[in-house]
Amino acid sequence: MADEIPQPGHEPERPPSRRERARAATIEEIKQTALRLMREQGTTDFRFSDIARLMGMTAPALYRYFADRDELLTELIVDAYNDLGEAVAEARDQIPVDDPGGRFAAVAHSYRRWAREEPQRFALILGMPVPGYHAPEEGPTTEAARRAMAQLKSLFYEATQAGLLRRPMLADDDASIARMLAEHHEAKDLPIDGPPVAPETFQAMLHCWASLHGFTCLESYGHLDWMPGELRDAIFESSIRLIAKVAGLPEPGLLTLPGDD
Amino acid sequence: MADEIPQPGHEPERPPSRRERARAATIEEIKQTALRLMREQGTTDFRFSDIARLMGMTAPALYRYFADRDELLTELIVDAYNDLGEAVAEARDQIPVDDPGGRFAAVAHSYRRWAREEPQRFALILGMPVPGYHAPEEGPTTEAARRAMAQLKSLFYEATQAGLLRRPMLADDDASIARMLAEHHEAKDLPIDGPPVAPETFQAMLHCWASLHGFTCLESYGHLDWMPGELRDAIFESSIRLIAKVAGLPEPGLLTLPGDD
DNA sequence: TGTACATCAGTGAACGCGCGTTCACTGATGTAC
DNA sequence: TGTACATCAGTGAACGCGCGTTCACTGATGTAC
């Protein structure tokens, strides 16, 4: 419990003082209150002074913790990316590495669940920018976004490495994608670290992510509310399997044995 | 030019008076100014008084045209649905009816283009609700949404009727979808008019829409900006073809002859 | 263990600003005889 | 064609409200000797 609040900067050995823990708790409460406001109003917007009121404080007190409204928003965005990334990674890692089809299904379900449970946070990171918010350029938000994306990427990397990713079902015409990927990897203007990406891996990953994202955000913003829930579930399930299939992922569950890797 | 402003209610025979045309022009200018503000700020938000200022008027004058800010927003949303629906329908109808693969490709490209050119209007209709906006319940917005969706639906209807839609690539397990569709069509709680929908048609349509929507809204909100444009185009192209293929649509261009239907 | 000082969370008042909306009124445009 | 009246677009002032942020200050918590 003492290490719940790690020091971000240079690490002093001493445990956090009473004051430091209180401060961390307040910061956490501010964030939670902001999220609560967003949830209650159903938007990604919130008022600085409402947070203070709900916490039984005056508005100026918040400036002890955040330089301004944008700084709080930035932290909320980073947190949301991290949360989504963690949720996805956790679901993924409950399925053995040699079952990439199952891993993708797990990722898809957890992506969808997260978005449904936290539509405002989902919109915060993957929707339109919040009115009046100016993101710090090349800052922590893009960094967090990259980390979250990496959770999905690694699934396809591993599948490729293990030879478990068939080519996506498009025989012709992705020669041009291969050429572009090679060129841009050469020019280092793609935020992809590590070795050059096989074009079919790249294509498969983006296809899966985008298609999954489509259903997810339609549903999360309420545009599928006209379908009964059980039908929505069934359609999602079948769509996910279609997506995975055409992207070259093997059927879920077709693995050597759970547990060994 | 005189019939550009049709009377919505009971039709009087006389042509619109000078005043009526001026009024319609002002309404149009108000909407365009609101859109301009949204575009300039990159959000779906705008201030009533800013519109007036940009038009060289005072804010109270706007209340001659719209009862309040929500009424203007509602009209903007309805217009956006109609616009998107028209754009999609127009692109679709340039491809012969017996080429549903080609028709879907045309729809996809026009959906994407519209969203890229009008990200704010796209967010207005298919993103999170605007802060502070309360939609009129069961009102014109849902009606407009249904009309827009119908443009996509008809493509799949026609393909099914003509026997050009193969079953989606999922042999098993969509029996449950069929059952649910039948039940809910019986109970009339699906906003689907006309004869019962074949489950594979429904599944194919939703898969295509959702998957297309995913890429589109990721790109439209800037989440794919890290990819160079030509790579984005190539990935979109290949994704669209994968989507269509797995949904059971025939390859584009495989048709009897352009022109005859 | 006790005292003197430093740190820091939180307050209350104020600033500057701008919002959506109402209301009584003016002046121009359209209509009826 | 001309006059009398009705319609309606737009103004200017005001209302009520609330925002984000600053500043000097108080009082409690932590630190050093």
Side-chain angles (χ1 to χ4, degrees):
Chain A
M1 182 158 184
D3 55 354
E4 272 186 9
I5 306 106
Q7 302 297 100
H10 46 89
E11 331 264 318
E13 272 311 303
R14 58 181 175 75
S17 69
R18 205 182 309 257
R19 229 188 219 163
E20 282 166 331
R21 276 186 291 132
R23 182 177 177 81
T26 306
I27 287 180
E28 191 54 34
E29 195 187 344
I30 292 173
K31 289 184 192 173
Q32 290 304 327
T33 310
L35 293 179
R36 179 179 149 200
L37 278 167
M38 284 172 26
R39 275 189 278 263
E40 282 171 4
Q41 296 160 190
T43 65
T44 53
D45 211 8
F46 61 85
R47 281 180 278 272
F48 227 49
S49 46
D50 281 348
I51 298 176
R53 192 169 31 72
L54 279 175
M55 289 178 66
M57 299 167 53
T58 57
L62 297 182
Y63 289 82
R64 294 273 163 207
Y65 302 94
F66 295 95
D68 50 24
R69 195 173 157 274
D70 276 12
E71 193 174 295
L72 171 54
L73 256 171
T74 301
E75 281 217 23
L76 290 176
I77 290 171
V78 170
D79 285 357
Y81 271 123
N82 290 342
D83 250 44
L84 175 58
E86 276 171 34
V88 158
E90 195 183 335
R92 182 198 59 199
D93 291 341
Q94 276 171 5
I95 310 289
V97 176
D98 53 357
D99 180 13
R103 294 196 127 201
F104 174 68
V107 162
H109 280 101
S110 109
Y111 193 89
R112 179 195 183 205
R113 187 179 326 110
W114 197 88
R116 284 218 297 194
E117 284 170 4
E118 312 260 19
Q120 286 77 32
R121 299 177 78 195
F122 189 71
L124 203 56
I125 56 181
L126 289 163
M128 270 255 130
V130 180
Y133 171 65
H134 297 287
E137 44 217 306
E138 274 304 318
T141 57
T142 48
E143 187 56 35
R146 196 167 303 183
R147 269 201 312 274
M149 263 303 286
Q151 303 300 341
L152 184 61
K153 238 165 49 181
S154 74
L155 190 166
F156 288 88
Y157 269 1
E158 292 158 2
T160 307
Q161 297 284 329
L164 289 170
L165 187 76
R166 294 193 309 277
R167 303 194 75 221
M169 291 185 167
L170 262 185
D172 51 344
D173 178 80
D174 45 16
S176 62
I177 295 182
R179 181 185 49 76
M180 287 180 206
L181 271 180
E183 277 174 17
H184 291 290
H185 195 275
E186 199 76 18
K188 291 204 184 305
D189 57 353
L190 278 185
I192 295 176
D193 30 306
V197 199
E200 62 267 26
T201 308
F202 189 79
Q203 184 188 353
M205 184 194 76
L206 254 152
H207 176 80
C208 288
W209 178 36
S211 299
L212 161 63
H213 180 74
F215 187 101
T216 302
C217 79
L218 282 179
E219 183 185 40
S220 155
Y221 300 159
H223 296 297
L224 300 184
D225 284 354
W226 48 273
M227 276 201 270
E230 55 168 4
L231 182 55
R232 234 158 45 207
D233 292 345
I235 290 283
F236 178 76
E237 190 60 41
S238 85
S239 243
I240 286 306
R241 292 175 60 201
L242 288 177
I243 292 167
K245 175 163 202 164
V246 83
L249 287 166
E251 289 274 322
L254 298 184
L255 49 106
T256 52
L257 257 184
D260 54 2
D261 81 62
Chain B
M1 183 159 182
D3 56 353
E4 271 184 12
I5 306 107
Q7 301 298 100
H10 46 86
E11 331 264 319
E13 271 311 303
R14 59 179 175 75
S17 69
R18 206 182 309 257
R19 229 188 218 162
E20 281 167 331
R21 278 186 290 132
R23 182 176 177 82
T26 306
I27 289 181
E28 191 53 34
E29 193 186 345
I30 291 173
K31 290 184 191 172
Q32 290 304 327
T33 310
L35 293 179
R36 178 179 149 198
L37 278 167
M38 287 174 24
R39 276 190 278 263
E40 279 170 6
Q41 296 159 192
T43 65
T44 53
D45 211 11
F46 61 85
R47 281 181 279 273
F48 228 50
S49 48
D50 282 348
I51 298 175
R53 192 169 30 71
L54 279 175
M55 289 178 66
M57 299 165 55
T58 58
L62 296 181
Y63 289 81
R64 293 273 162 205
Y65 302 93
F66 296 97
D68 50 25
R69 193 172 158 275
D70 276 12
E71 194 174 294
L72 172 53
L73 257 171
T74 301
E75 281 217 22
L76 290 176
I77 291 171
V78 170
D79 285 356
Y81 272 123
N82 290 343
D83 249 43
L84 175 58
E86 276 172 34
V88 157
E90 195 184 335
R92 182 199 59 198
D93 291 341
Q94 276 170 5
I95 310 288
V97 176
D98 54 357
D99 180 12
R103 292 196 128 202
F104 174 67
V107 162
H109 280 101
S110 108
Y111 194 87
R112 180 196 183 205
R113 187 178 326 112
W114 197 88
R116 283 216 301 190
E117 283 171 4
E118 312 259 19
Q120 285 78 33
R121 300 178 77 194
F122 190 70
L124 203 57
I125 56 180
L126 290 163
M128 272 253 128
V130 179
Y133 171 64
H134 298 287
E137 45 218 307
E138 275 302 319
T141 58
T142 47
E143 187 55 35
R146 194 166 304 184
R147 268 200 312 273
M149 264 304 286
Q151 303 300 341
L152 185 60
K153 239 166 47 184
S154 73
L155 191 167
F156 288 88
Y157 269 2
E158 292 158 2
T160 308
Q161 296 285 329
L164 289 170
L165 188 76
R166 295 192 308 277
R167 302 193 77 223
M169 292 183 166
L170 261 184
D172 52 341
D173 178 82
D174 45 17
S176 61
I177 295 181
R179 182 186 48 76
M180 287 181 205
L181 270 180
E183 278 174 17
H184 290 291
H185 195 274
E186 199 76 19
K188 291 205 185 302
D189 58 354
L190 277 186
I192 294 176
D193 29 304
V197 200
E200 61 267 26
T201 307
F202 190 79
Q203 185 187 352
M205 185 194 75
L206 254 150
H207 177 80
C208 287
W209 178 38
S211 299
L212 161 63
H213 180 74
F215 187 100
T216 301
C217 81
L218 282 179
E219 183 185 39
S220 154
Y221 300 161
H223 297 297
L224 299 184
D225 284 355
W226 48 273
M227 275 201 272
E230 54 167 5
L231 181 55
R232 233 157 46 204
D233 292 345
I235 290 283
F236 178 75
E237 189 60 43
S238 85
S239 243
I240 286 308
R241 291 175 59 200
L242 288 177
I243 292 166
K245 175 164 203 166
V246 84
L249 287 167
E251 290 273 323
L254 298 183
L255 49 106
T256 52
L257 257 184
D260 55 2
D261 84 65

